[in-house]
Amino acid sequence: MALKNSQNHFGVIAKFLHWLIALLMIALIGLGAYMVTLDYYDDEWYDGSLLLHKALGMVGLAVVGLKFIWMLKNPKPDDLPTLKSWEKHASVLAHITLLAVMFLMPVTGYVVSTSEGAGIAMFGLFEVPALFKISAAVRDMAIAIHFYLAYGGMALVLVHASAALKHHFINKDKTLRRIL
Ligand code: HEM
Ligand code: HEM
């Protein structure tokens, strides 16, 4: 199995980065949606879930950074010849939006969490420092963006995954197989 993408296949590194990002995105939406239902006084996991969410989210930012670098150095395989023109445009738009969401979620999360000067604890190993002074207005805007992008992103992930499954089971083409 080749490390790099070829004209017709995704390489091991692109596959690994894709599925790691997919896993993190889905886990963080689930964890985020769950943790905001917990109560500060009644739930033991209130602090732990937020700590985990923030640290995993920052890992997501690092992985997306690596993916950007890898994408620049290693173009994706050619579109399958069976794709219709609108499908090509729609998939490019969906992929760019998914990557933008996966980048903006941790950035807005970081802005929210460091707005009062505290850093982000990374599993007790080290801390990502608070770099900027952030006003309450910017913080509130970041909370709103974090919220809408999370649930908008979830909807787009569903469309994206359904499109992949439709290609696999209905069109029976290689779309899904070549990234597995
Ligand atoms: C959970 C189920 C998912 C499935 C079944 C799935 C499936 C696929 C497939 C089949 C492709 C290849 C499309 C092509 O050949 O053009 C692809 C590409 C892509 N997917 Fe997903 N995906 C999933 C989740 C995600 C998530 C959560 C994200 C990002 C937040 C994501 C981002 C991308 C991007 C950016 C591409 C473009 C190719 C690349 O740069 O790796 N996917 N996905
Ligand atoms: C891909 C990465 C991320 C995803 C998908 C994600 C997703 C979510 C979701 C779904 C919520 C619940 C929103 C709600 O229903 O109110 C949430 C809340 C939150 N997230 Fe994230 N998150 C990510 C990264 C981060 C990072 C890196 C941080 C901080 C360093 C962070 C900090 C927070 C905070 C503080 C809240 C609570 C916001 C509030 O007060 O309402 N998130 N996140």
Side-chain angles (χ1 to χ4, degrees), residues 24-25 28-33 35-36 50 53-58 60 101-102 105-113 120 139 143 146-147 150-151:
L24 283 169
M25 176 81 178
L28 283 160
I29 293 175
L31 180 60
M35 76 189 185
V36 293
L50 185 58
H53 181 83
K54 294 198 268 189
L56 270 187
M58 294 308 286
V101 170
M102 196 57 208
M105 286 306 298
V107 170
T108 50
Y110 173 86
V111 168
V112 177
S113 301
I120 312 284
R139 174 178 181 274
I143 291 181
H146 199 77
F147 176 87
Y151 298 112

PDB file of all heavy atoms in Angstrom, residues 24-25 28-33 35-36 50 53-58 60 101-102 105-113 120 139 143 146-147 150-151, ligand 2:
ATOM      1  N   LEU A  24     -12.765  12.160  15.102  1.00  0.00           N
ATOM      2  CA  LEU A  24     -12.692  13.274  16.065  1.00  0.00           C
ATOM      3  C   LEU A  24     -13.911  14.180  15.936  1.00  0.00           C
ATOM      4  O   LEU A  24     -14.511  14.583  16.933  1.00  0.00           O
ATOM      5  CB  LEU A  24     -11.408  14.090  15.835  1.00  0.00           C
ATOM      6  CG  LEU A  24     -10.123  13.441  16.368  1.00  0.00           C
ATOM      7  CD1 LEU A  24      -8.895  14.194  15.850  1.00  0.00           C
ATOM      8  CD2 LEU A  24     -10.125  13.427  17.902  1.00  0.00           C
ATOM      9  N   MET A  25     -14.276  14.491  14.693  1.00  0.00           N
ATOM     10  CA  MET A  25     -15.404  15.399  14.463  1.00  0.00           C
ATOM     11  C   MET A  25     -16.681  14.815  15.070  1.00  0.00           C
ATOM     12  O   MET A  25     -17.409  15.490  15.808  1.00  0.00           O
ATOM     13  CB  MET A  25     -15.546  15.594  12.947  1.00  0.00           C
ATOM     14  CG  MET A  25     -16.705  16.417  12.519  1.00  0.00           C
ATOM     15  SD  MET A  25     -16.306  18.150  12.678  1.00  0.00           S
ATOM     16  CE  MET A  25     -17.805  18.861  12.049  1.00  0.00           C
ATOM     17  N   LEU A  28     -16.460  14.637  18.909  1.00  0.00           N
ATOM     18  CA  LEU A  28     -16.522  15.949  19.569  1.00  0.00           C
ATOM     19  C   LEU A  28     -17.907  16.570  19.490  1.00  0.00           C
ATOM     20  O   LEU A  28     -18.321  17.272  20.416  1.00  0.00           O
ATOM     21  CB  LEU A  28     -15.487  16.891  18.941  1.00  0.00           C
ATOM     22  CG  LEU A  28     -14.057  16.616  19.418  1.00  0.00           C
ATOM     23  CD1 LEU A  28     -13.047  17.199  18.454  1.00  0.00           C
ATOM     24  CD2 LEU A  28     -13.858  17.177  20.815  1.00  0.00           C
ATOM     25  N   ILE A  29     -18.635  16.314  18.402  1.00  0.00           N
ATOM     26  CA  ILE A  29     -20.007  16.822  18.333  1.00  0.00           C
ATOM     27  C   ILE A  29     -20.833  16.097  19.403  1.00  0.00           C
ATOM     28  O   ILE A  29     -21.569  16.719  20.170  1.00  0.00           O
ATOM     29  CB  ILE A  29     -20.625  16.615  16.934  1.00  0.00           C
ATOM     30  CG1 ILE A  29     -19.898  17.489  15.904  1.00  0.00           C
ATOM     31  CG2 ILE A  29     -22.122  16.970  16.952  1.00  0.00           C
ATOM     32  CD1 ILE A  29     -20.337  17.271  14.472  1.00  0.00           C
ATOM     33  N   GLY A  30     -20.664  14.768  19.486  1.00  0.00           N
ATOM     34  CA  GLY A  30     -21.419  13.989  20.482  1.00  0.00           C
ATOM     35  C   GLY A  30     -21.076  14.430  21.901  1.00  0.00           C
ATOM     36  O   GLY A  30     -21.963  14.716  22.712  1.00  0.00           O
ATOM     37  N   LEU A  31     -19.775  14.512  22.177  1.00  0.00           N
ATOM     38  CA  LEU A  31     -19.336  14.894  23.525  1.00  0.00           C
ATOM     39  C   LEU A  31     -19.790  16.319  23.853  1.00  0.00           C
ATOM     40  O   LEU A  31     -20.284  16.583  24.949  1.00  0.00           O
ATOM     41  CB  LEU A  31     -17.800  14.786  23.607  1.00  0.00           C
ATOM     42  CG  LEU A  31     -17.149  15.156  24.936  1.00  0.00           C
ATOM     43  CD1 LEU A  31     -17.669  14.270  26.064  1.00  0.00           C
ATOM     44  CD2 LEU A  31     -15.629  15.016  24.839  1.00  0.00           C
ATOM     45  N   GLY A  32     -19.647  17.232  22.890  1.00  0.00           N
ATOM     46  CA  GLY A  32     -20.043  18.639  23.100  1.00  0.00           C
ATOM     47  C   GLY A  32     -21.534  18.734  23.421  1.00  0.00           C
ATOM     48  O   GLY A  32     -21.935  19.369  24.399  1.00  0.00           O
ATOM     49  N   ALA A  33     -22.358  18.063  22.602  1.00  0.00           N
ATOM     50  CA  ALA A  33     -23.805  18.137  22.788  1.00  0.00           C
ATOM     51  C   ALA A  33     -24.189  17.527  24.135  1.00  0.00           C
ATOM     52  O   ALA A  33     -25.103  18.000  24.809  1.00  0.00           O
ATOM     53  CB  ALA A  33     -24.516  17.419  21.651  1.00  0.00           C
ATOM     54  N   MET A  35     -22.107  17.217  26.905  1.00  0.00           N
ATOM     55  CA  MET A  35     -21.557  17.893  28.089  1.00  0.00           C
ATOM     56  C   MET A  35     -22.351  19.147  28.456  1.00  0.00           C
ATOM     57  O   MET A  35     -22.430  19.485  29.626  1.00  0.00           O
ATOM     58  CB  MET A  35     -20.066  18.224  27.902  1.00  0.00           C
ATOM     59  CG  MET A  35     -19.816  19.400  26.998  1.00  0.00           C
ATOM     60  SD  MET A  35     -18.103  19.602  26.593  1.00  0.00           S
ATOM     61  CE  MET A  35     -18.232  21.146  25.662  1.00  0.00           C
ATOM     62  N   VAL A  36     -22.955  19.819  27.436  1.00  0.00           N
ATOM     63  CA  VAL A  36     -23.712  21.031  27.783  1.00  0.00           C
ATOM     64  C   VAL A  36     -25.037  20.711  28.493  1.00  0.00           C
ATOM     65  O   VAL A  36     -25.698  21.605  28.988  1.00  0.00           O
ATOM     66  CB  VAL A  36     -23.970  21.959  26.555  1.00  0.00           C
ATOM     67  CG1 VAL A  36     -22.675  22.558  26.036  1.00  0.00           C
ATOM     68  CG2 VAL A  36     -24.728  21.240  25.463  1.00  0.00           C
ATOM     69  N   LEU A  50     -15.609  18.555  29.881  1.00  0.00           N
ATOM     70  CA  LEU A  50     -15.174  19.779  29.209  1.00  0.00           C
ATOM     71  C   LEU A  50     -13.663  19.750  28.962  1.00  0.00           C
ATOM     72  O   LEU A  50     -13.188  20.129  27.876  1.00  0.00           O
ATOM     73  CB  LEU A  50     -15.571  21.007  30.054  1.00  0.00           C
ATOM     74  CG  LEU A  50     -15.286  22.362  29.424  1.00  0.00           C
ATOM     75  CD1 LEU A  50     -16.008  22.503  28.079  1.00  0.00           C
ATOM     76  CD2 LEU A  50     -15.733  23.501  30.355  1.00  0.00           C
ATOM     77  N   HIS A  53     -13.128  17.453  26.085  1.00  0.00           N
ATOM     78  CA  HIS A  53     -13.600  18.089  24.850  1.00  0.00           C
ATOM     79  C   HIS A  53     -12.568  19.093  24.333  1.00  0.00           C
ATOM     80  O   HIS A  53     -12.235  19.103  23.144  1.00  0.00           O
ATOM     81  CB  HIS A  53     -14.944  18.780  25.132  1.00  0.00           C
ATOM     82  CG  HIS A  53     -15.559  19.448  23.937  1.00  0.00           C
ATOM     83  ND1 HIS A  53     -16.310  18.770  23.012  1.00  0.00           N
ATOM     84  CD2 HIS A  53     -15.518  20.731  23.506  1.00  0.00           C
ATOM     85  CE1 HIS A  53     -16.707  19.609  22.064  1.00  0.00           C
ATOM     86  NE2 HIS A  53     -16.242  20.817  22.342  1.00  0.00           N
ATOM     87  N   LYS A  54     -12.049  19.908  25.234  1.00  0.00           N
ATOM     88  CA  LYS A  54     -11.108  20.946  24.810  1.00  0.00           C
ATOM     89  C   LYS A  54      -9.793  20.338  24.315  1.00  0.00           C
ATOM     90  O   LYS A  54      -9.266  20.744  23.285  1.00  0.00           O
ATOM     91  CB  LYS A  54     -10.845  21.905  25.980  1.00  0.00           C
ATOM     92  CG  LYS A  54     -12.094  22.699  26.365  1.00  0.00           C
ATOM     93  CD  LYS A  54     -11.765  23.925  27.174  1.00  0.00           C
ATOM     94  CE  LYS A  54     -11.793  23.686  28.654  1.00  0.00           C
ATOM     95  NZ  LYS A  54     -11.692  24.918  29.449  1.00  0.00           N
ATOM     96  N   ALA A  55      -9.294  19.335  25.068  1.00  0.00           N
ATOM     97  CA  ALA A  55      -8.008  18.742  24.687  1.00  0.00           C
ATOM     98  C   ALA A  55      -8.138  17.979  23.362  1.00  0.00           C
ATOM     99  O   ALA A  55      -7.307  18.134  22.458  1.00  0.00           O
ATOM    100  CB  ALA A  55      -7.511  17.823  25.803  1.00  0.00           C
ATOM    101  N   LEU A  56      -9.225  17.183  23.226  1.00  0.00           N
ATOM    102  CA  LEU A  56      -9.410  16.434  21.969  1.00  0.00           C
ATOM    103  C   LEU A  56      -9.617  17.400  20.794  1.00  0.00           C
ATOM    104  O   LEU A  56      -9.134  17.161  19.682  1.00  0.00           O
ATOM    105  CB  LEU A  56     -10.645  15.535  22.064  1.00  0.00           C
ATOM    106  CG  LEU A  56     -10.478  14.123  22.579  1.00  0.00           C
ATOM    107  CD1 LEU A  56     -11.796  13.376  22.417  1.00  0.00           C
ATOM    108  CD2 LEU A  56      -9.360  13.384  21.860  1.00  0.00           C
ATOM    109  N   GLY A  57     -10.346  18.500  21.060  1.00  0.00           N
ATOM    110  CA  GLY A  57     -10.573  19.502  20.015  1.00  0.00           C
ATOM    111  C   GLY A  57      -9.267  20.122  19.539  1.00  0.00           C
ATOM    112  O   GLY A  57      -9.073  20.344  18.344  1.00  0.00           O
ATOM    113  N   MET A  58      -8.345  20.368  20.471  1.00  0.00           N
ATOM    114  CA  MET A  58      -7.051  20.940  20.074  1.00  0.00           C
ATOM    115  C   MET A  58      -6.230  19.907  19.282  1.00  0.00           C
ATOM    116  O   MET A  58      -5.492  20.264  18.364  1.00  0.00           O
ATOM    117  CB  MET A  58      -6.253  21.427  21.299  1.00  0.00           C
ATOM    118  CG  MET A  58      -6.891  22.596  22.040  1.00  0.00           C
ATOM    119  SD  MET A  58      -7.321  24.017  21.005  1.00  0.00           S
ATOM    120  CE  MET A  58      -5.715  24.713  20.682  1.00  0.00           C
ATOM    121  N   GLY A  60      -7.631  17.840  17.318  1.00  0.00           N
ATOM    122  CA  GLY A  60      -8.284  17.962  16.006  1.00  0.00           C
ATOM    123  C   GLY A  60      -7.658  19.080  15.183  1.00  0.00           C
ATOM    124  O   GLY A  60      -7.414  18.927  13.987  1.00  0.00           O
ATOM    125  N   VAL A 101     -15.024  23.816   8.546  1.00  0.00           N
ATOM    126  CA  VAL A 101     -15.687  23.585   9.830  1.00  0.00           C
ATOM    127  C   VAL A 101     -14.704  22.953  10.816  1.00  0.00           C
ATOM    128  O   VAL A 101     -14.578  23.373  11.971  1.00  0.00           O
ATOM    129  CB  VAL A 101     -16.922  22.668   9.658  1.00  0.00           C
ATOM    130  CG1 VAL A 101     -17.472  22.228  11.011  1.00  0.00           C
ATOM    131  CG2 VAL A 101     -18.003  23.375   8.854  1.00  0.00           C
ATOM    132  N   MET A 102     -13.964  21.951  10.311  1.00  0.00           N
ATOM    133  CA  MET A 102     -13.046  21.231  11.185  1.00  0.00           C
ATOM    134  C   MET A 102     -11.901  22.136  11.667  1.00  0.00           C
ATOM    135  O   MET A 102     -11.277  21.866  12.687  1.00  0.00           O
ATOM    136  CB  MET A 102     -12.518  20.020  10.403  1.00  0.00           C
ATOM    137  CG  MET A 102     -11.864  18.957  11.210  1.00  0.00           C
ATOM    138  SD  MET A 102     -12.916  18.278  12.500  1.00  0.00           S
ATOM    139  CE  MET A 102     -11.654  17.769  13.670  1.00  0.00           C
ATOM    140  N   MET A 105     -13.974  25.123  14.173  1.00  0.00           N
ATOM    141  CA  MET A 105     -14.499  24.646  15.468  1.00  0.00           C
ATOM    142  C   MET A 105     -13.450  24.785  16.567  1.00  0.00           C
ATOM    143  O   MET A 105     -13.716  25.400  17.595  1.00  0.00           O
ATOM    144  CB  MET A 105     -14.966  23.185  15.370  1.00  0.00           C
ATOM    145  CG  MET A 105     -16.256  22.961  14.626  1.00  0.00           C
ATOM    146  SD  MET A 105     -17.624  23.923  15.215  1.00  0.00           S
ATOM    147  CE  MET A 105     -17.787  23.335  16.890  1.00  0.00           C
ATOM    148  N   PRO A 106     -12.245  24.217  16.393  1.00  0.00           N
ATOM    149  CA  PRO A 106     -11.252  24.374  17.454  1.00  0.00           C
ATOM    150  C   PRO A 106     -10.828  25.835  17.654  1.00  0.00           C
ATOM    151  O   PRO A 106     -10.588  26.251  18.777  1.00  0.00           O
ATOM    152  CB  PRO A 106     -10.058  23.540  16.977  1.00  0.00           C
ATOM    153  CG  PRO A 106     -10.532  22.697  15.884  1.00  0.00           C
ATOM    154  CD  PRO A 106     -11.788  23.282  15.341  1.00  0.00           C
ATOM    155  N   VAL A 107     -10.761  26.619  16.559  1.00  0.00           N
ATOM    156  CA  VAL A 107     -10.336  28.015  16.704  1.00  0.00           C
ATOM    157  C   VAL A 107     -11.350  28.783  17.566  1.00  0.00           C
ATOM    158  O   VAL A 107     -10.980  29.485  18.507  1.00  0.00           O
ATOM    159  CB  VAL A 107     -10.149  28.682  15.322  1.00  0.00           C
ATOM    160  CG1 VAL A 107      -9.961  30.180  15.458  1.00  0.00           C
ATOM    161  CG2 VAL A 107      -8.951  28.062  14.600  1.00  0.00           C
ATOM    162  N   THR A 108     -12.650  28.619  17.266  1.00  0.00           N
ATOM    163  CA  THR A 108     -13.655  29.333  18.068  1.00  0.00           C
ATOM    164  C   THR A 108     -13.694  28.761  19.496  1.00  0.00           C
ATOM    165  O   THR A 108     -13.829  29.520  20.457  1.00  0.00           O
ATOM    166  CB  THR A 108     -15.058  29.253  17.425  1.00  0.00           C
ATOM    167  OG1 THR A 108     -15.344  27.881  17.104  1.00  0.00           O
ATOM    168  CG2 THR A 108     -15.145  30.080  16.168  1.00  0.00           C
ATOM    169  N   GLY A 109     -13.523  27.442  19.618  1.00  0.00           N
ATOM    170  CA  GLY A 109     -13.488  26.821  20.957  1.00  0.00           C
ATOM    171  C   GLY A 109     -12.335  27.395  21.770  1.00  0.00           C
ATOM    172  O   GLY A 109     -12.485  27.716  22.951  1.00  0.00           O
ATOM    173  N   TYR A 110     -11.192  27.553  21.116  1.00  0.00           N
ATOM    174  CA  TYR A 110     -10.007  28.119  21.783  1.00  0.00           C
ATOM    175  C   TYR A 110     -10.285  29.557  22.234  1.00  0.00           C
ATOM    176  O   TYR A 110      -9.956  29.946  23.361  1.00  0.00           O
ATOM    177  CB  TYR A 110      -8.816  28.065  20.805  1.00  0.00           C
ATOM    178  CG  TYR A 110      -7.582  28.756  21.306  1.00  0.00           C
ATOM    179  CD1 TYR A 110      -6.659  28.087  22.114  1.00  0.00           C
ATOM    180  CD2 TYR A 110      -7.336  30.094  20.991  1.00  0.00           C
ATOM    181  CE1 TYR A 110      -5.537  28.730  22.596  1.00  0.00           C
ATOM    182  CE2 TYR A 110      -6.216  30.749  21.467  1.00  0.00           C
ATOM    183  CZ  TYR A 110      -5.315  30.064  22.264  1.00  0.00           C
ATOM    184  OH  TYR A 110      -4.206  30.710  22.746  1.00  0.00           O
ATOM    185  N   VAL A 111     -10.909  30.335  21.360  1.00  0.00           N
ATOM    186  CA  VAL A 111     -11.229  31.731  21.682  1.00  0.00           C
ATOM    187  C   VAL A 111     -12.157  31.790  22.901  1.00  0.00           C
ATOM    188  O   VAL A 111     -11.930  32.549  23.845  1.00  0.00           O
ATOM    189  CB  VAL A 111     -11.870  32.442  20.458  1.00  0.00           C
ATOM    190  CG1 VAL A 111     -12.478  33.782  20.858  1.00  0.00           C
ATOM    191  CG2 VAL A 111     -10.834  32.634  19.357  1.00  0.00           C
ATOM    192  N   VAL A 112     -13.202  30.927  22.891  1.00  0.00           N
ATOM    193  CA  VAL A 112     -14.137  30.910  24.022  1.00  0.00           C
ATOM    194  C   VAL A 112     -13.397  30.547  25.308  1.00  0.00           C
ATOM    195  O   VAL A 112     -13.511  31.219  26.336  1.00  0.00           O
ATOM    196  CB  VAL A 112     -15.263  29.864  23.799  1.00  0.00           C
ATOM    197  CG1 VAL A 112     -16.182  29.793  25.008  1.00  0.00           C
ATOM    198  CG2 VAL A 112     -16.050  30.165  22.537  1.00  0.00           C
ATOM    199  N   SER A 113     -12.601  29.471  25.227  1.00  0.00           N
ATOM    200  CA  SER A 113     -12.030  28.908  26.453  1.00  0.00           C
ATOM    201  C   SER A 113     -10.875  29.727  27.017  1.00  0.00           C
ATOM    202  O   SER A 113     -10.585  29.633  28.207  1.00  0.00           O
ATOM    203  CB  SER A 113     -11.556  27.478  26.187  1.00  0.00           C
ATOM    204  OG  SER A 113     -12.641  26.716  25.746  1.00  0.00           O
ATOM    205  N   ILE A 120      -5.256  25.966  27.786  1.00  0.00           N
ATOM    206  CA  ILE A 120      -6.003  24.711  27.590  1.00  0.00           C
ATOM    207  C   ILE A 120      -5.123  23.560  28.086  1.00  0.00           C
ATOM    208  O   ILE A 120      -4.027  23.341  27.547  1.00  0.00           O
ATOM    209  CB  ILE A 120      -6.298  24.470  26.091  1.00  0.00           C
ATOM    210  CG1 ILE A 120      -6.868  25.715  25.397  1.00  0.00           C
ATOM    211  CG2 ILE A 120      -7.180  23.250  25.893  1.00  0.00           C
ATOM    212  CD1 ILE A 120      -8.296  26.000  25.683  1.00  0.00           C
ATOM    213  N   ARG A 139     -16.018  36.950  22.428  1.00  0.00           N
ATOM    214  CA  ARG A 139     -16.240  35.638  23.042  1.00  0.00           C
ATOM    215  C   ARG A 139     -17.667  35.149  22.744  1.00  0.00           C
ATOM    216  O   ARG A 139     -17.873  34.004  22.346  1.00  0.00           O
ATOM    217  CB  ARG A 139     -16.025  35.752  24.553  1.00  0.00           C
ATOM    218  CG  ARG A 139     -16.356  34.500  25.312  1.00  0.00           C
ATOM    219  CD  ARG A 139     -16.067  34.682  26.785  1.00  0.00           C
ATOM    220  NE  ARG A 139     -16.375  33.463  27.502  1.00  0.00           N
ATOM    221  CZ  ARG A 139     -17.571  33.148  27.968  1.00  0.00           C
ATOM    222  NH1 ARG A 139     -18.578  33.974  27.800  1.00  0.00           N
ATOM    223  NH2 ARG A 139     -17.749  32.015  28.602  1.00  0.00           N
ATOM    224  N   ILE A 143     -18.846  31.832  20.705  1.00  0.00           N
ATOM    225  CA  ILE A 143     -19.770  30.800  21.241  1.00  0.00           C
ATOM    226  C   ILE A 143     -20.857  30.504  20.206  1.00  0.00           C
ATOM    227  O   ILE A 143     -21.174  29.339  19.922  1.00  0.00           O
ATOM    228  CB  ILE A 143     -20.421  31.259  22.572  1.00  0.00           C
ATOM    229  CG1 ILE A 143     -19.373  31.312  23.672  1.00  0.00           C
ATOM    230  CG2 ILE A 143     -21.569  30.319  22.965  1.00  0.00           C
ATOM    231  CD1 ILE A 143     -19.908  31.721  25.041  1.00  0.00           C
ATOM    232  N   HIS A 146     -19.368  28.631  17.230  1.00  0.00           N
ATOM    233  CA  HIS A 146     -19.060  27.258  17.641  1.00  0.00           C
ATOM    234  C   HIS A 146     -20.347  26.414  17.652  1.00  0.00           C
ATOM    235  O   HIS A 146     -20.354  25.272  17.200  1.00  0.00           O
ATOM    236  CB  HIS A 146     -18.436  27.309  19.045  1.00  0.00           C
ATOM    237  CG  HIS A 146     -17.668  26.087  19.439  1.00  0.00           C
ATOM    238  ND1 HIS A 146     -16.400  25.815  18.977  1.00  0.00           N
ATOM    239  CD2 HIS A 146     -17.979  25.049  20.264  1.00  0.00           C
ATOM    240  CE1 HIS A 146     -15.982  24.670  19.501  1.00  0.00           C
ATOM    241  NE2 HIS A 146     -16.926  24.176  20.280  1.00  0.00           N
ATOM    242  N   PHE A 147     -21.409  26.999  18.117  1.00  0.00           N
ATOM    243  CA  PHE A 147     -22.698  26.301  18.207  1.00  0.00           C
ATOM    244  C   PHE A 147     -23.262  25.996  16.807  1.00  0.00           C
ATOM    245  O   PHE A 147     -23.561  24.846  16.464  1.00  0.00           O
ATOM    246  CB  PHE A 147     -23.674  27.175  19.012  1.00  0.00           C
ATOM    247  CG  PHE A 147     -25.059  26.619  19.108  1.00  0.00           C
ATOM    248  CD1 PHE A 147     -25.397  25.723  20.122  1.00  0.00           C
ATOM    249  CD2 PHE A 147     -26.037  26.981  18.199  1.00  0.00           C
ATOM    250  CE1 PHE A 147     -26.676  25.208  20.211  1.00  0.00           C
ATOM    251  CE2 PHE A 147     -27.321  26.472  18.286  1.00  0.00           C
ATOM    252  CZ  PHE A 147     -27.644  25.579  19.298  1.00  0.00           C
ATOM    253  N   ALA A 150     -21.159  23.620  14.681  1.00  0.00           N
ATOM    254  CA  ALA A 150     -21.184  22.223  15.154  1.00  0.00           C
ATOM    255  C   ALA A 150     -22.388  21.495  14.558  1.00  0.00           C
ATOM    256  O   ALA A 150     -22.252  20.416  13.974  1.00  0.00           O
ATOM    257  CB  ALA A 150     -21.241  22.174  16.678  1.00  0.00           C
ATOM    258  N   TYR A 151     -23.568  22.117  14.666  1.00  0.00           N
ATOM    259  CA  TYR A 151     -24.760  21.396  14.216  1.00  0.00           C
ATOM    260  C   TYR A 151     -24.938  21.485  12.694  1.00  0.00           C
ATOM    261  O   TYR A 151     -25.419  20.539  12.062  1.00  0.00           O
ATOM    262  CB  TYR A 151     -25.982  21.858  15.013  1.00  0.00           C
ATOM    263  CG  TYR A 151     -25.779  21.533  16.487  1.00  0.00           C
ATOM    264  CD1 TYR A 151     -25.613  22.529  17.440  1.00  0.00           C
ATOM    265  CD2 TYR A 151     -25.650  20.208  16.905  1.00  0.00           C
ATOM    266  CE1 TYR A 151     -25.370  22.219  18.787  1.00  0.00           C
ATOM    267  CE2 TYR A 151     -25.398  19.892  18.231  1.00  0.00           C
ATOM    268  CZ  TYR A 151     -25.261  20.903  19.166  1.00  0.00           C
ATOM    269  OH  TYR A 151     -25.002  20.582  20.473  1.00  0.00           O
TER     270      TYR A 151
HETATM  271  C1  HEM B   2     -13.810  19.834  15.811  1.00  0.00           C
HETATM  272  C2  HEM B   2     -13.728  20.347  17.017  1.00  0.00           C
HETATM  273  C3  HEM B   2     -14.922  20.614  17.900  1.00  0.00           C
HETATM  274  C4  HEM B   2     -16.244  20.260  17.768  1.00  0.00           C
HETATM  275  C5  HEM B   2     -16.886  19.449  16.645  1.00  0.00           C
HETATM  276  C6  HEM B   2     -16.953  20.820  18.908  1.00  0.00           C
HETATM  277  C7  HEM B   2     -18.319  20.686  19.143  1.00  0.00           C
HETATM  278  C8  HEM B   2     -19.010  21.259  20.192  1.00  0.00           C
HETATM  279  C9  HEM B   2     -20.429  21.119  20.447  1.00  0.00           C
HETATM  280  C10 HEM B   2     -21.412  20.282  19.624  1.00  0.00           C
HETATM  281  C11 HEM B   2     -20.725  21.845  21.546  1.00  0.00           C
HETATM  282  C12 HEM B   2     -22.097  21.999  22.215  1.00  0.00           C
HETATM  283  C13 HEM B   2     -22.756  23.268  21.741  1.00  0.00           C
HETATM  284  C14 HEM B   2     -24.100  23.452  22.415  1.00  0.00           C
HETATM  285  O1  HEM B   2     -25.003  22.628  22.189  1.00  0.00           O
HETATM  286  O2  HEM B   2     -24.231  24.428  23.149  1.00  0.00           O
HETATM  287  C15 HEM B   2     -19.500  22.448  22.020  1.00  0.00           C
HETATM  288  C16 HEM B   2     -19.405  23.289  23.110  1.00  0.00           C
HETATM  289  C17 HEM B   2     -18.215  23.799  23.584  1.00  0.00           C
HETATM  290  N1  HEM B   2     -16.959  23.587  23.052  1.00  0.00           N
HETATM  291 FE1  HEM B   2     -16.523  22.562  21.401  1.00  0.00          FE
HETATM  292  N2  HEM B   2     -16.065  21.500  19.706  1.00  0.00           N
HETATM  293  C18 HEM B   2     -14.806  21.382  19.136  1.00  0.00           C
HETATM  294  C19 HEM B   2     -13.626  21.898  19.627  1.00  0.00           C
HETATM  295  C20 HEM B   2     -13.495  22.638  20.798  1.00  0.00           C
HETATM  296  C21 HEM B   2     -12.254  23.157  21.351  1.00  0.00           C
HETATM  297  C22 HEM B   2     -10.865  22.944  20.750  1.00  0.00           C
HETATM  298  C23 HEM B   2     -12.570  23.857  22.469  1.00  0.00           C
HETATM  299  C24 HEM B   2     -11.667  24.601  23.422  1.00  0.00           C
HETATM  300  C25 HEM B   2     -10.363  24.592  23.419  1.00  0.00           C
HETATM  301  C26 HEM B   2     -14.002  23.770  22.646  1.00  0.00           C
HETATM  302  C27 HEM B   2     -14.703  24.357  23.673  1.00  0.00           C
HETATM  303  C28 HEM B   2     -16.054  24.286  23.848  1.00  0.00           C
HETATM  304  C29 HEM B   2     -16.768  24.964  24.928  1.00  0.00           C
HETATM  305  C30 HEM B   2     -16.142  25.834  26.011  1.00  0.00           C
HETATM  306  C31 HEM B   2     -18.125  24.656  24.758  1.00  0.00           C
HETATM  307  C32 HEM B   2     -19.305  25.146  25.614  1.00  0.00           C
HETATM  308  C33 HEM B   2     -19.782  26.414  24.966  1.00  0.00           C
HETATM  309  C34 HEM B   2     -20.898  27.023  25.676  1.00  0.00           C
HETATM  310  O3  HEM B   2     -20.629  27.635  26.707  1.00  0.00           O
HETATM  311  O4  HEM B   2     -22.026  26.897  25.203  1.00  0.00           O
HETATM  312  N3  HEM B   2     -14.541  23.013  21.600  1.00  0.00           N
HETATM  313  N4  HEM B   2     -18.467  22.078  21.160  1.00  0.00           N
END
